[in-house]
Structure formats: C-alpha cells, structure tokens
Amino acid sequence: MTTPMITDLSRSLVLIRHGQSEDNEQDLFSGLRDPALTARGEEEARAAGRQLGRLGFRFTHAFTSVLQRAGQTMELILAELGQSDLPVVRNSALNERDYGALAGLNKTQARERFGPERVRIWRKSYDAVPQGGESLAMTAARVWPFYGRAIAPAVRAGGCVLLVGHGNALRSMLMRLDGIDPETIEDVNIGTAQILIYTLAEDGERLVKARLPSGDLAEGPPAA
C-alpha cells in the first residue's frame, strides 16, 4: 500500500519517544522509575522540536505521561516551536510499561539475577509478565483505550496532535496503528526522540503512516 502524502497538517498525529534519560544512559530498565533527561536527551528533544518546526507543524493538542522524562521532552519540543502555552494532557495511561523486579537493573544484573532466557522472554514476549510488573499486552490494555477516547477523536476532529511517550507504550500503539503482530513487535525498537507521523486515512477513521511533501518519510521504527 502506498504511503499517503500529507498536504494538510491538520488531522495528523505525531508520536515521539522521550529523549535519552539518565536510566537510558546507564542501560537500566526504567519502567515506572522517574529519571530525568540527560544533557544529550535535552538536546535530542530540542532537535526534534526544530525538525517539526521546519516541517511546518503547529499543534492543537498535546498528550504525554506523568513521568518527567516524557514531560521534559514535551516542554522542550513545544518551546522550540514557540508553543509553550499549549495545554498538555498528562495521563498515567500513557506511562511506560511497569518492569517490576527488573526496574533499576542493567541488562547484565538482570541476567545474573533471573537468568538470560527468563530476561529475554520478559523483555521481548508480548504476554510475559516480569515479577510485579506488566506485559506488553497489559500496557496496551491501558494505552489503547485512552488513545480511543482522547487522542483519535482529536485527530478526526481536524486536530494536529503531538504525543510524547515511552518505548513500550508507543510499541503497544504501533501494533494497532501499523497492524504489527505479537511475534513481529518483539523485534521493533523506537529510538530516543524518534519521530513517527500519521495522518487520517481516506475512510476518516484509521490513522496511517504519512509522507511529507518535502520528501521526508515518517519511517517506522528500526528493528532492535
């Protein structure tokens, strides 16, 4: 299917993962931990804002989680766009996946404590639940209803919507938006401050990946 070209930036949704956090820098599982952005993460957010400005985006709605790494990223993006006064909806439904017992550990520590295969399954499987945490399926079960009741209606009403989120929470959205199955989503990764752009399909209901007149393509996330 041909990727549609955006000629009108209304009725669009921009998804961005937060910039590099202090946990990302140390290769730690974050989950519901609340680290701040690093200096690199702050610059990643500003760069994303500048890129969106060059592409002509002016947002009418903004959504993010209640975790500070996403909130800081949102604030820096909007500042670059001269839209710091735009109201931002912050909701825990958009929080990162709860990693439970893995939170705060790096990959080596986690493998030593729980075993390499168990950690691999917890990280990659759609249904596996880390001790005291959430599976990706459980994350989707809170993210997708919020999308349906708050985000999608704003786009369908003609809005230009910005959502700054987290890797796993956004992956759970991509499963529905892009039709990615549970086996394939295991290999999907979204980089810090990566921009994904969607537009309303001709049926007026679905959102699909979009291409911009400048030739910039809203590419899907690379494999991990």
Side-chain angles (χ1 to χ4, degrees), residues 174-223:
L174 296 190
M175 291 187 70
R176 297 282 189 101
L177 292 174
D178 296 340
I180 301 173
D181 62 48
E183 291 73 30
T184 304
I185 199 66
E186 294 179 8
D187 297 320
V188 170
N189 181 60
I190 302 172
T192 53
Q194 183 175 344
I195 299 171
L196 302 170
I197 302 172
Y198 291 79
T199 190
L200 198 65
E202 291 182 359
D203 63 13
E205 289 295 324
R206 295 174 301 115
L207 287 178
V208 293
K209 278 201 182 71
R211 188 163 50 90
L212 296 162
S214 64
D216 292 281
L217 183 63
E219 297 284 1

Side-chain angles (χ1 to χ4, degrees), residues 67-118:
L67 300 173
Q68 67 171 327
R69 56 192 183 276
Q72 285 181 291
T73 301
M74 175 68 80
E75 290 169 5
L76 292 167
I77 289 171
L78 292 180
E80 289 292 331
L81 293 169
Q83 288 195 268
S84 292
D85 59 346
L86 182 69
V88 177
V89 175
R90 294 175 169 83
N91 195 287
S92 59
L94 299 175
N95 282 356
E96 179 56 302
R97 171 188 178 187
D98 183 353
Y99 266 122
L102 293 175
L105 302 178
N106 64 34
K107 306 301 187 298
T108 299
Q109 290 170 326
R111 293 184 189 107
E112 289 174 348
R113 183 172 300 183
F114 300 107
E117 181 61 15
R118 175 55 55 188

Side-chain angles (χ1 to χ4, degrees), residues 44-66:
E44 288 176 340
R46 293 188 187 98
R50 291 192 294 270
Q51 183 177 357
L52 292 171
R54 288 192 295 269
L55 295 173
F57 280 96
R58 293 286 296 176
F59 293 102
T60 59
H61 299 75
F63 297 89
T64 191
S65 74
V66 301

Side-chain angles (χ1 to χ4, degrees), residues 10-13 150-161 198-200 207:
S10 65
R11 303 196 310 168
S12 62
L13 170 65
I151 298 170
V155 177
R156 293 182 187 127
C160 184
V161 179
Y198 291 79
T199 190
L200 198 65
L207 287 178

